[in-house]
Amino acid sequence: EKNPEEYALALHFAGTLEKEYGIKLPLDEVGFISMFLCVDSECGEAVEDMPIVVVAMHGSSTASSMVEVANKLVGAGNVYAYDMSLDKPPKVAYEELKNLIVKEHRGGGVILLVDMGSLGMFGELISEETGIKIRVMDMVTTIMVIECARKATIIRDIDEICDEIKDSIDYFRGTASSFVQSVIPKRE
């Protein structure tokens, strides 16, 4: 709505890709393409309501490594890492994660991606304490981080983003399973 010329150009570009490669691009992808065409300050205004993604994982650099990949590939700078060392007391970890979320929050909510354990419970507690809308997804993978980061640049509703990510994961698992079955010969 704010950038109709860029969106129209992205639609034209998507049409060209569809014809050339025989694929169908969803409209949210067209929106994502149009974001790259926005270089003026008008396009930067939407950053205020943008959801952020926080990756919280056990270990010294597990979350940081995933976040580095996502921020490099997506380029939106909307993903933050929290690495929880295994010897850190849960109370300390909770306060550190809460402070990170409060500091980086942009008004559009937080998608908290966690690996396991207490980190998953922290999201609800931080949300209750701060009033920030937080949705938690566990068993995070790098592709989930990338997809959440990408979708957070074009979708402002964190519930919708989480639902789409869950659908993508289910689709990917089915596709990967059928691919493996077709590539690996059956033993008899």
Side-chain angles (χ1 to χ4, degrees):
E1 291 176 4
K2 289 184 179 181
N3 304 291
E5 292 176 19
E6 289 84 354
Y7 188 73
L9 187 57
L11 275 172
H12 177 73
F13 181 64
T16 303
L17 287 173
E18 288 174 351
K19 286 178 192 168
E20 181 72 25
Y21 296 102
I23 59 172
K24 180 71 177 143
L25 290 176
L27 286 179
D28 64 337
E29 296 292 338
V30 175
F32 188 65
I33 292 169
S34 65
M35 278 185 31
F36 287 108
L37 301 175
C38 295
V39 291
D40 59 12
S41 61
E42 232 178 85
C43 294
E45 290 175 10
V47 170
E48 280 306 308
D49 287 339
M50 179 188 285
I52 65 165
V53 178
V54 175
V55 181
M57 300 181 79
H58 293 83
S60 61
S61 64
T62 312
S64 297
S65 295
M66 287 183 167
V67 167
E68 178 184 8
V69 170
N71 278 329
K72 273 191 178 171
L73 293 177
V74 177
N78 61 344
V79 187
Y80 302 90
Y82 178 73
D83 294 302
M84 181 180 164
S85 65
L86 296 176
D87 58 351
K88 187 168 291 198
K91 265 188 171 177
V92 173
Y94 174 82
E95 287 299 322
E96 289 175 351
L97 182 59
K98 180 179 78 173
N99 291 337
L100 172 70
I101 288 171
V102 168
K103 177 184 173 200
E104 302 300 342
H105 175 59
R106 300 179 185 176
V110 176
I111 300 168
L112 179 59
L113 302 174
V114 302
D115 55 357
M116 62 182 180
S118 59
L119 290 171
M121 295 181 288
F122 288 173
E124 187 175 331
L125 297 171
I126 293 170
S127 182
E128 286 176 15
E129 188 176 336
T130 64
I132 296 171
K133 186 175 181 181
I134 300 173
R135 293 297 171 260
V136 178
M137 296 182 75
D138 60 1
M139 297 195 301
V140 64
T141 63
T142 304
I143 195 69
M144 283 174 66
V145 178
I146 294 166
E147 267 302 278
C148 283
R150 186 184 69 78
K151 288 186 181 294
T153 63
I154 53 178
I155 300 172
R156 296 294 183 245
D157 182 342
I158 61 173
D159 292 321
E160 185 180 341
I161 294 169
C162 289
D163 288 344
E164 287 191 17
I165 295 299
K166 288 174 189 170
D167 290 344
S168 296
I169 292 167
D170 291 343
Y171 174 77
F172 177 73
R173 283 186 183 140
T175 304
S177 175
S178 64
F179 173 76
V180 168
Q181 290 174 357
S182 68
V183 173
I184 299 175
K186 292 183 181 180
R187 294 184 184 185
E188 297 184 33

